[in-house]
Amino acid sequence: MSLDRNEVEIVAHLARLKVSDDQMPATLASLNSILTLVDRMQEIDTSGIEPLANPLDATARLRADEVTETNHRDDYQRIAPSTTDGLYLVPKVIE
Amino acid sequence: MEFKTLKQLSDGLAAGEFSSVELTQHYLARIAADQNTNAYITVTEEQALQAAKAADEARAKGNAGALTGLPIAHKDIFCTQGVRTSCGSKMLDNFIAPYESTVTQKLNDAGTVMLGKANMDEFAMGSSTETSFYGPTRNPWNLDTVPGGSSGGSAAAVAAGLAAAATGTDTGGSIRQPAAFCNLTGLKPTYGRVSRWGMIAFGSSLDCGGPLTRTAEDAALMFNVMAGHDPKDTTSMDVAVDDYTAHLDRPLDGLRIGLPSEYFGDGLHDGIRSAVMAAVKELENQGAVVKEISLPRTELSIPAYYIIAPAEASTNLSRYDGVRYGHRCDDPVDLEDLYKRSRAEGFGDEVQRRILVGTYALSAGYYDAYYRKAQQLRRLIKDDYQRAFADVDVILGPTTPSPAWKLGEKSGDPVAMYLEDIYTLSVNLAGLPGLALPCGQVNGLPVGLQLIGNYFDESRLLNIGHRFQQATDWHTKTPA
């Protein structure tokens, strides 16, 4: 599998990353060398093999459906770059 | 004093030879004088002296434990309340953690003194600690070479005598490889043995916290505190914890050691092969029985890992969007521009590369060919190990195919860097414990062997490591 510029742009958009025109040749080259490496997986027949998502075949435990968390607003606001009246200030990007 | 073990320093504190404040001042002075390694991102001098004072007071009241008052470094991937926790990234350059990770909390509760936060590859992605936003760390054994990664700052700090021990994390070898490059003992525990809560996530099904120390005995002392179930981490395993110092002296008579033929083939440096085989001989002298085994899917661990880890990383790092954390671009034209430019400016090249690979592997149309395929190979790799453990107690091989390489030598070629992880990746894919130990030198650079154990058998690995270190002196050597 080999990626072209258009495909990298689609993947970069999905990943919400900006790849500049200057960076594109190096990005393309490194991604394609990595894909060449990982394509060695395709040589192995894995039909009928159950995928292993957790090395211990374990699933995440559930806890009791009870509220245990306390309010940390003051702790979090203390280290936020900008706050006012108990709210976080972020750049105005939506008109 | 700076090259003493945790055990020796603990004995010194208990005997009243020095106080924890004096010990901490000693290390802080060494850190301040160090112009070479760039081992630390943040030094927490004031906090360290306060913690040392509290440790001395606890000791005076008769409340000292094995680690009370011992100065250590924490990899900057562990959240430490009120202290910058950058994960080696511009993205988190201004992030002050509002809470304490379970690992660091446990070590704080045991009375250790945090000297600071150690340098690391950005978001733990790298094998050389060259991808850090704060500049590369240098290997104290040869300042022109890398200390390994991603816990290279932790390893360099201990090797250079800038901390008595350190925490690290291992997603694909990031404790064991820097331990090998810096002549340390590094333990990668069984997946789920150490809480991941408050450890900034890279590959959630792979990440493990563990100790980087001078000896297996020190690793056991630290691991006694670090290991254990944590209700706050749903991947933490509720399995009984051993006393890891209790079995260190157990004889090795009859121990069955498997040598995987795939770990000793082409690509392994001759000097490393010789050093590892000399170590095998020493263990045989102590009564171990050696058997050749096969782990046929070893090479496939590289492609499987470099799909699974980036896939998980791309998901974990989606939270860094320029709004909720850290770096935010200037003057965004709209929300999408804010996300894209903040992430492009905040993440370094290697992190962006892995996010792109991971996003691609998880995208519609490619999921089965890459992510699902890699997970199927992961099961085959695990099955290989389980077959091997039917015949042997532990598996032994080199930790790395070559000794530490020169700074910059591989940083322009990600695939060349990935191939250096050949002996460590499969252990993470299978979730097994691994221990790296000093076993020789090549051209003045340290060589590490690797012991791989069955699930939750860290006690056995530490026992073998300790017995080996009782009979050899490689672990006592320090940089010139």
Side-chain angles (χ1 to χ4, degrees):
Chain A
M1 192 70 71
S2 175
L3 293 177
D4 61 25
R5 182 191 176 106
N6 183 47
E7 287 168 314
V8 172
E9 284 173 350
I10 291 169
V11 174
H13 172 69
L14 290 172
R16 297 297 185 269
L17 283 171
K18 186 174 183 62
V19 180
S20 69
D21 289 345
D22 290 350
Q23 293 170 310
M24 186 56 78
T27 303
L28 252 179
S30 63
L31 290 181
N32 280 325
S33 69
I34 293 167
L35 287 179
T36 301
L37 175 77
V38 300
D39 273 338
R40 284 156 50 190
M41 293 191 304
Q42 309 308 333
E43 297 163 11
I44 307 300
D45 180 9
T46 52
S47 48
I49 305 294
E50 189 66 20
L52 181 66
N54 179 300
L56 303 172
D57 265 333
T59 52
R61 287 184 321 280
L62 300 177
R63 59 171 171 78
D65 187 16
E66 295 165 357
V67 176
T68 56
E69 197 54 81
T70 53
N71 190 339
H72 293 291
R73 173 190 284 210
D74 291 344
D75 295 337
Y76 298 160
Q77 295 229 321
R78 203 172 298 125
I79 57 169
S82 188
T83 60
T84 187
D85 300 330
L87 303 172
Y88 295 93
L89 288 182
V90 296
K92 185 176 179 182
V93 292
I94 302 174
E95 294 299 331
Chain B
M1 189 186 284
E2 59 271 12
F3 295 121
K4 286 188 172 174
T5 66
L6 287 177
K7 178 70 169 60
Q8 289 166 335
L9 292 173
S10 183
D11 290 347
L13 286 167
E17 292 169 19
F18 43 82
S19 69
S20 177
V21 168
E22 288 168 335
L23 186 62
T24 301
Q25 284 170 333
H26 172 81
Y27 278 100
L28 289 171
R30 284 185 62 83
I31 294 167
D34 176 56
Q35 301 292 315
N36 297 323
T37 64
N38 196 25
Y40 283 89
I41 291 173
T42 304
V43 180
T44 50
E45 181 171 351
E46 197 176 317
Q47 273 182 277
L49 290 170
Q50 279 177 8
K53 188 163 174 277
D56 284 335
E57 287 167 0
R59 187 175 295 279
K61 290 178 187 164
N63 296 329
L67 297 181
T68 301
L70 297 177
I72 63 174
H74 289 307
K75 185 175 182 178
D76 207 18
I77 201 167
F78 290 101
C79 285
T80 43
Q81 190 168 21
V83 174
R84 176 169 64 169
T85 300
S86 77
C87 219
S89 181
K90 179 181 179 183
M91 186 61 88
L92 291 175
D93 182 46
N94 66 352
F95 177 59
I96 309 292
Y99 63 98
E100 193 80 19
S101 76
T102 295
V103 162
T104 52
Q105 185 64 58
K106 283 181 161 198
L107 287 162
N108 291 345
D109 292 346
T112 61
V113 172
M114 178 177 78
L115 293 165
K117 306 296 289 292
N119 205 355
M120 56 179 285
D121 278 309
E122 185 182 9
F123 285 101
M125 297 180 196
S127 306
S128 63
T129 312
E130 290 172 292
T131 71
S132 170
F133 173 62
Y134 302 93
T137 295
R138 291 172 181 268
N139 189 331
W141 283 84
N142 179 337
L143 295 173
D144 293 331
T145 66
V146 301
S150 64
S151 310
S154 296
V158 180
L162 308 177
T167 53
T169 62
D170 193 315
T171 305
S174 286
I175 288 175
R176 289 161 289 159
Q177 188 233 30
F181 283 5
C182 294
N183 208 55
L184 299 176
T185 301
L187 175 64
K188 179 260 175 224
T190 306
Y191 177 77
R193 175 79 289 185
V194 168
S195 173
R196 291 171 45 243
W197 197 80
M199 198 172 99
I200 295 173
F202 163 12
S204 300
S205 77
L206 302 156
D207 296 340
C208 289
L212 276 151
T213 55
R214 296 195 171 279
T215 63
E217 182 179 34
D218 280 4
L221 284 169
M222 269 182 83
F223 196 54
N224 267 351
V225 173
M226 296 172 76
H229 175 242
D230 180 7
K232 288 190 280 193
D233 172 6
T234 59
T235 61
S236 163
M237 298 301 288
D238 194 0
V239 176
V241 180
D242 211 341
D243 176 352
Y244 296 98
T245 55
H247 312 291
L248 290 171
D249 290 318
R250 186 175 160 191
L252 304 185
D253 295 312
L255 174 77
R256 298 172 302 164
I257 298 176
L259 300 185
S261 51
E262 293 81 2
Y263 281 41
F264 293 90
D266 292 343
L268 177 61
H269 191 289
D270 285 341
I272 294 182
R273 181 184 286 108
S274 303
V276 171
M277 291 315 294
V280 170
K281 199 82 193 154
E282 170 53 40
L283 295 174
E284 282 185 304
N285 290 341
Q286 294 196 35
V289 179
V290 172
K291 180 179 179 183
E292 186 171 322
I293 60 167
S294 178
L295 295 172
R297 258 70 70 127
T298 296
E299 278 203 29
L300 289 167
S301 62
I302 296 179
Y305 177 87
Y306 279 102
I307 287 297
I308 291 172
E312 294 185 0
S314 71
T315 307
N316 278 322
L317 271 58
S318 65
R319 73 190 70 173
Y320 304 105
D321 58 7
V323 177
R324 285 173 287 181
Y325 293 94
H327 178 75
R328 181 181 298 157
C329 71
D330 290 330
D331 305 320
V333 296
D334 56 26
L335 195 57
E336 197 162 281
D337 186 49
L338 170 72
Y339 292 155
K340 287 183 173 176
R341 281 203 291 124
S342 295
R343 286 163 63 78
E345 292 170 13
F347 292 136
D349 290 346
E350 181 60 24
V351 171
Q352 292 190 49
R353 194 154 37 229
R354 295 201 197 190
I355 290 173
L356 290 171
V357 170
T359 303
Y360 179 66
L362 293 175
S363 62
Y366 299 104
Y367 181 92
D368 282 352
Y370 287 106
Y371 189 60
R372 184 181 160 82
K373 183 85 178 178
Q375 287 194 324
Q376 288 172 314
L377 284 174
R378 184 179 196 177
R379 183 172 296 282
L380 293 175
I381 289 164
K382 173 179 172 159
D383 289 348
D384 283 351
Y385 276 116
Q386 288 312 289
R387 258 190 299 277
F389 282 122
D391 292 330
V392 299
D393 300 309
V394 293
I395 294 168
L396 189 152
T399 305
T400 61
S402 64
W405 56 85
K406 286 211 157 62
L407 284 154
E409 190 178 327
K410 296 181 195 286
S411 50
D413 184 352
V415 169
M417 189 87 83
Y418 298 172
L419 294 173
E420 291 294 329
D421 302 333
I422 178 73
Y423 304 130
T424 51
L425 296 177
S426 57
V427 175
N428 297 77
L429 289 170
L432 295 163
L435 182 72
L437 297 169
C439 70
Q441 288 191 0
V442 171
N443 300 327
L445 289 171
V447 171
L449 68 82
Q450 177 179 210
L451 290 165
I452 302 166
N454 212 336
Y455 295 107
F456 301 103
D457 206 9
E458 290 88 355
S459 189
R460 186 58 139 167
L461 299 183
L462 292 165
N463 159 227
I464 300 166
H466 181 66
R467 293 290 301 208
F468 179 72
Q469 290 177 342
Q470 295 295 101
T472 60
D473 65 355
W474 295 111
H475 62 288
T476 66
K477 298 188 185 305
T478 54

